[in-house]
Amino acid sequence: MQHTIVMTGASRGIGRIAAEHILRQSPHVHLLVVARAASGAQLASELSTGGHAVSHVPADLGSLDSVQSAAAEIRDRLERGDLPPLRAFVGNAGMQYTNALTEGPDGFESTFAINVLANHLFVRLLQDRFAAPARIVITASDTHFGDFKHNLGMVPGPAWKSPDVLARTGAFPKPDTAVGGRTAYSTSKLAAIYLVHEYARRLPAGVDAVAFNPGFVPGTGLARNAGPVTRFAMRRILPVMTLTPFATSRSAAGRCLADVVLGTTQAPTGSYVDRARAVRSSEESYDPQREGELWDAAERFIAAYGT
């Protein structure tokens, strides 16, 4: 049966590989990629090679106005019948900055805006358009564990605070440093898991929500805002780690993401999938009080954008 999958973060890294794998494995999919206007049309053209059904909607995920416009266009196309029924949303796009002081056009700290609020706004604006069985997949990160086993000491663990603090710049110590930026990143990924738990409680029956952890994947575009030494290491040195158990190759992580989206990997709603299997996330990530507080705050933050 023809159906639509909406995906962010499909232009590079594990998202690009996942998109290609989804199209190969599921010929009935219409893949709608959300990307910046300059790259979206080219991406859709490249992915549609071989007769695959691919289209794009432009959006800057750092701007909630732009996300709202993209979601409205997707809704319109679904309602007109220009797209087949919506069966999945994949929030794969993510950003890590070299500080915790980067502010987006809506006044939110940019890591939080892109990694948390953009996904939440898409989910809420598209919520009533999903045709069950449907699945929401949000790319998380094992940096949310905050221990050496999961991050090899490269990323500080999350430092949870009130969502009203996390949503603004300067939430962490040394906010003008890379340590501040990386702390914002790991904390945003913890927030993403909290919201997945809330989606599992609140979304209609038949619409599942899953957090996906690709593991440490060197060579993606995640560090594109880092300094030249870090970018060089991510591109040229750290990929060697994929030969060990401590890292995942882009191709393997992309295939795992596709399998979660397509349901090949069994994962009940609210679960955390570590590459190819559902496991427990960190103990800190199971906190109903924080989850509810974050939900309430996120609802306030996006209330002006049509939800």
Side-chain angles (χ1 to χ4, degrees):
M1 179 181 176
Q2 292 286 335
H3 59 275
T4 297
I5 294 175
V6 174
M7 184 175 186
T8 71
S11 60
R12 58 168 64 91
I14 68 171
R16 177 62 178 263
I17 292 165
E20 293 170 350
H21 193 71
I22 287 168
L23 291 168
R24 285 196 301 269
Q25 295 299 312
S26 187
H28 300 301
V29 162
H30 182 116
L31 183 64
L32 193 156
V33 293
V34 179
R36 290 181 181 271
S39 61
Q42 180 179 348
L43 174 62
S45 176
E46 292 171 356
L47 290 173
S48 63
T49 301
H52 299 300
V54 185
S55 60
H56 81 284
V57 168
D60 172 4
L61 299 180
S63 163
L64 296 184
D65 275 328
S66 183
V67 171
Q68 189 277 333
S69 295
E73 181 175 339
I74 294 168
R75 287 184 60 89
D76 288 345
R77 291 178 62 183
L78 287 165
E79 290 167 2
R80 292 197 306 264
D82 295 343
L83 291 172
L86 178 62
R87 287 288 175 81
F89 170 77
V90 187
N92 178 63
M95 184 61 72
Q96 179 177 298
Y97 289 89
T98 56
N99 59 62
L101 295 173
T102 305
E103 184 176 273
D106 310 295
F108 299 110
E109 192 275 322
S110 292
T111 311
F112 192 85
I114 294 170
N115 296 356
V116 181
L117 294 182
N119 287 330
H120 188 60
L121 185 54
F122 266 123
V123 168
R124 296 292 279 140
L125 291 176
L126 297 177
Q127 176 177 324
D128 64 337
R129 303 307 306 170
F130 284 104
R135 175 167 280 194
I136 294 163
V137 180
I138 306 297
T139 298
S141 168
D142 50 10
T143 60
H144 87 276
F145 280 89
D147 57 17
F148 186 85
K149 175 183 176 182
H150 291 91
N151 63 29
L152 304 179
M154 292 186 290
V155 180
W160 192 257
K161 302 176 185 297
S162 161
D164 289 279
V165 174
L166 296 176
R168 308 299 176 180
T169 58
F172 307 103
K174 299 180 180 179
D176 58 334
T177 67
V179 170
R182 291 169 185 164
T183 304
Y185 177 79
S186 61
T187 306
S188 75
K189 293 303 185 177
L190 177 60
I193 297 171
Y194 285 152
L195 285 179
V196 164
H197 293 165
E198 284 295 304
Y199 298 149
R201 296 185 186 103
R202 296 172 183 264
L203 292 178
V207 181
D208 292 345
V210 176
F212 168 73
N213 168 47
F216 172 52
V217 187
T220 69
L222 183 62
R224 57 188 176 273
N225 286 324
V229 174
T230 299
R231 294 200 307 272
F232 178 81
M234 286 292 287
R235 289 197 309 267
R236 303 297 183 186
I237 300 174
L238 294 179
V240 176
M241 291 181 63
T242 60
L243 301 175
T244 75
F246 299 107
T248 313
S249 69
R250 284 180 292 175
S251 59
R255 290 194 302 272
C256 287
L257 174 55
D259 287 343
V260 174
V261 174
L262 295 175
T264 305
T265 297
Q266 298 298 310
T269 188
S271 62
Y272 175 83
V273 176
D274 180 15
R275 284 156 280 200
R277 62 192 183 97
V279 299
R280 280 186 65 83
S281 48
S282 71
E283 290 305 313
E284 185 180 10
S285 70
Y286 299 94
D287 190 321
Q289 181 174 343
R290 287 184 182 179
E291 291 161 4
E293 290 173 352
L294 178 59
W295 174 275
D296 291 341
E299 291 290 283
R300 282 191 285 107
F301 297 152
I302 68 171
Y305 302 94
T307 60

